[in-house]
Amino acid sequence: SPGHYVRSTVGRLPNSVSSKQKANVPLGIMIQPLAPLPPGVEDVPTVNFSTVGTIIRCKACRTYMNPYVTWEANGRRWVCNSCGHSNQTQDSYFASLDESGKRTDRF
């Protein structure tokens, strides 16, 4: 993960249990998921649900629809990237797919 989101207190970790015990250095990680983006870094992709009116969630695990789901049946079904469950796409959210399997309305 990029340094502006996750940063460790140490640059290198011991490669064995014995060297870890000898070093006795505490490890800390600072996580900033909402950190501002530095110049020149691409923004995280988002999904716009304004035309649907509700956020779409997986029927099995309740994960939110996100840019990392995969699409099946020319956009009629989507596969959850967390649990692998195949969900039906609501008619109000349907969009056909391009030749690479991505939604045609993604931009």
Side-chain angles (χ1 to χ4, degrees):
S1 189
H4 56 277
Y5 291 127
V6 178
R7 184 163 294 173
S8 173
T9 57
V10 296
R12 295 183 180 214
L13 298 174
N15 61 358
S16 69
V17 176
S18 63
S19 57
K20 176 186 174 276
Q21 291 170 341
K22 289 177 188 173
N24 198 22
V25 177
L27 173 64
I29 296 176
M30 191 167 66
I31 301 172
Q32 301 181 82
L34 302 176
L37 292 174
V41 175
E42 188 176 323
D43 198 5
V44 176
T46 58
V47 177
N48 182 0
F49 294 106
S50 63
T51 58
V52 178
T54 182
I55 296 175
I56 301 168
R57 298 179 78 175
C58 175
K59 300 285 187 214
C61 71
R62 305 299 293 157
T63 295
Y64 293 101
M65 166 78 73
N66 62 73
Y68 305 104
V69 302
T70 54
W71 297 95
E72 297 178 329
N74 196 28
R76 292 282 175 200
R77 301 191 66 74
W78 59 277
V79 178
C80 176
N81 62 311
S82 294
C83 72
H85 180 75
S86 181
N87 297 276
Q88 187 169 356
T89 304
Q90 296 178 11
D91 288 339
S92 58
Y93 192 66
F94 171 75
S96 45
L97 307 179
D98 64 12
E99 62 280 347
S100 65
K102 306 280 187 194
R103 289 174 56 100
T104 55
D105 66 346
R106 71 183 185 275
F107 295 114

